[in-house]
Amino acid sequence: MSDQRLDILPRQRAWVEVDLEALAHNVRQIRGLLAAQTDLLAVVKADAYGHGSIGVAQTALQAGATWLGVATVMEGIELRRAGINAPILLLGSVHTPAEIQAIAQWQIQPTLCSPKQALIFSETLSSGDRALSVHLKLDTGMARLGAPWTEAVEFVQWVQRLPHLTVASVYSHFATADEVDQTLLWQQKHCFDQAIAALRAQGICPPCLHLANSAATLLDSHLHYDMVRVGLALYGLYPAPHFRDNPDRSLDLRPVLQVKARVTQVKTIQAGMGVSYGHRFIARQETRVATVGIGYADGVPRLLSNQMQVLVRGQAVPQIGSVTMDQLMLDVSGLDLVEPGEVVTLLGQSGNIRLGAEDWAMAIGTISWEILCGFKHRLPRVAVRSTVLDRSLSSNPGCRLPSVG
Ligand SMILES: *Cc1c(COP(=O)(O)O)cnc(C)c1O
């Protein structure tokens, strides 16, 4: 694991706490939505959305997931090297002989997106290799990876005729499952169903069909098919507010990750003095400033400068001035003596307040996925015991970020 070298100094400057009990809880919650025969593929790409792929993969498998999904060959190899034997689906698309040979060697199951790519795979594999299970992707409206759904029959028949390959599943991916308007989602499902019907008419019954990401999994069991591919919800976040706020669809998902850091210096500045690069914060009155050892090189977006709050002893205090590469400043005037070494919470819960990746995402116009993936390897990942989270707190207005201004 590439972050192991950092683990000799956990909980020192800044770190990510990963609650694997919360993860297991989320897996069980999601499993509870699925029919018994439906498989749960835990998407652990991008180092499990910043949570650490090995711990997450092991926990998810113990809690009821049966497949793992990765984006790159190296991500798959990292899991195999850790001794994980579960089937691994490579969601990305690869072409080079070196990657194809690695896939065969480490028994990672690739996604194939065109007849030509399938031919390259078949020609690269030697007859000594056992048949490689492959997953055929259809494009039903995302326009990213996959053969056109209208060509499903030709594509599948082509792959079936090639040596060294076995079709393990046919799948597609939604473009808009997290939007309020579901029109496109159902159109995509319709295209997928038509492609499957065309295959069946030719006597082809793929052993596994799958279509749903987190949003589609939470939305409707008609979208589950034989397997669902769940990322974000595993990590305890809802794909969009309407998933969390709709009582019909609400699950009890618990955030898995918290980001913490220590105060490194505390000082008092006078009215009129500026803080941080560009002096984008000017003190209106005498202000107690706490410097914290975490910055944008750790994954705190610089766009949050002057627009985020940080939890100190269960109280939300404003971050002030530009977020710098390795450090940021807080206004702690409202608190009793804060000392260097004090631990503050950037994301997570402290007292009655929870700050979530979704709050940061909303404040800077991005999505929770990008916030989670942004936490860099220089933040050690520390496993923690479950913090008992009170569900009612997630909608506490106290956790709202201050408005821009
Ligand atoms: C990343 C990914 C997922 C998981 O998406 P979430 O919205 O995080 O659940 C599922 N399927 C594919 C093909 C993906 O690339």
Side-chain angles (χ1 to χ4, degrees):
M1 247 163 78
S2 43
D3 53 341
Q4 232 158 27
R5 71 201 149 84
L6 299 171
D7 289 351
I8 56 169
L9 290 173
R11 289 198 170 90
Q12 300 307 304
R13 169 186 168 264
W15 63 96
V16 169
E17 292 186 356
V18 178
D19 181 351
L20 293 174
E21 283 175 38
L23 182 91
H25 166 88
N26 297 334
V27 170
R28 289 189 294 266
Q29 287 280 305
I30 295 158
R31 264 249 56 107
L33 297 176
L34 308 177
Q37 71 277 13
T38 304
D39 275 304
L40 172 58
L41 178 147
V43 178
V44 298
K45 62 191 178 190
D47 202 26
Y49 293 38
H51 293 65
S53 64
I54 293 166
V56 165
Q58 287 166 337
T59 305
L61 291 167
Q62 277 162 15
T66 42
W67 282 73
L68 299 170
V70 297
T72 71
V73 180
M74 275 312 299
E75 288 174 353
I77 292 175
E78 197 180 347
L79 296 172
R80 288 284 182 251
R81 280 191 177 144
I84 292 169
N85 296 320
I88 298 175
L89 170 56
L90 176 62
L91 300 164
S93 176
V94 302
H95 294 84
T96 67
E99 284 175 307
I100 295 169
Q101 275 148 11
I103 279 173
Q105 183 194 338
W106 292 96
Q107 299 202 18
I108 294 162
Q109 302 188 20
T111 294
L112 298 184
C113 303
S114 73
K116 187 166 171 215
Q117 185 192 15
L119 183 63
I120 295 172
F121 264 77
S122 181
E123 287 176 342
T124 305
L125 297 169
S126 65
S127 15
D129 296 322
R130 69 150 118 155
L132 185 66
S133 292
V134 298
H135 299 257
L136 306 192
K137 188 148 194 198
L138 302 178
D139 182 4
T140 56
M142 173 76 175
R144 189 171 64 175
L145 289 177
W149 66 270
T150 47
E151 294 167 21
V153 171
E154 294 82 345
F155 184 27
V156 176
Q157 284 178 336
W158 168 261
V159 178
Q160 284 180 329
R161 283 196 297 267
L162 291 173
H164 313 313
L165 304 180
T166 304
V167 177
S169 83
V170 172
Y171 80 103
S172 189
H173 189 53
F174 285 120
T176 60
D178 52 349
E179 309 272 317
V180 175
D181 184 343
Q182 295 179 18
T183 315
L184 237 64
L185 167 108
W186 293 103
Q187 274 170 18
Q188 280 195 260
K189 181 193 188 292
H190 184 65
C191 295
F192 189 66
D193 288 341
Q194 278 188 275
I196 303 312
L199 289 172
R200 294 223 166 101
Q202 299 298 315
I204 302 170
C205 295
C208 174
L209 303 173
H210 48 112
L211 189 53
N213 55 5
S214 291
T217 301
L218 302 192
L219 213 52
D220 194 315
S221 62
H222 292 100
L223 304 170
H224 292 175
Y225 295 85
D226 301 310
M227 180 161 82
V228 296
R229 308 183 305 270
V230 178
L232 191 76
L234 293 179
Y235 307 107
L237 299 187
Y238 295 86
H242 64 281
F243 287 85
R244 185 188 51 210
D245 301 338
N246 182 338
D248 293 344
R249 292 181 194 136
S250 285
L251 286 178
D252 174 29
L253 296 180
R254 301 179 184 174
V256 173
L257 169 150
Q258 302 199 66
V259 179
K260 298 188 178 175
R262 284 185 198 271
V263 172
T264 52
Q265 190 176 3
V266 182
K267 64 182 61 172
T268 300
I269 62 170
Q270 303 309 313
M273 288 178 76
V275 173
S276 193
Y277 292 123
H279 279 188
R280 294 204 290 146
F281 177 89
I282 307 287
R284 288 208 192 98
Q285 64 260 318
E286 188 179 277
T287 300
R288 195 126 31 90
V289 178
T291 302
V292 178
I294 189 169
Y296 63 77
D298 299 288
V300 180
R302 189 174 166 281
L303 286 171
L304 282 173
S305 299
N306 277 321
Q307 299 191 53
M308 65 188 290
Q309 297 186 328
V310 171
L311 303 179
V312 186
R313 295 179 205 157
Q315 250 179 271
V317 305
Q319 185 279 325
I320 54 175
S322 297
V323 172
T324 74
M325 186 182 290
D326 320 300
Q327 305 174 72
L328 52 79
M329 276 70 99
L330 309 177
D331 178 351
V332 292
S333 307
L335 292 175
D336 290 342
L337 203 61
V338 173
E339 299 267 20
E342 174 136 7
V343 175
V344 305
T345 301
L346 288 101
L347 284 186
Q349 188 157 343
S350 174
N352 287 343
I353 310 179
R354 186 179 92 76
L355 295 176
E358 62 274 30
D359 298 316
W360 282 15
M362 207 178 314
I364 62 172
T366 186
I367 55 175
S368 318
W369 289 260
E370 186 181 357
I371 299 293
L372 292 179
C373 295
F375 296 113
K376 303 297 189 289
H377 269 290
R378 82 171 178 180
L379 294 178
R381 267 54 174 181
V382 181
V384 294
R385 305 284 303 168
S386 211
T387 42
V388 181
L389 292 179
D390 180 346
R391 187 143 185 266
S392 63
L393 297 172
S394 60
S395 55
N396 185 332
C399 75
R400 295 277 178 265
L401 287 159
S403 54
V404 184

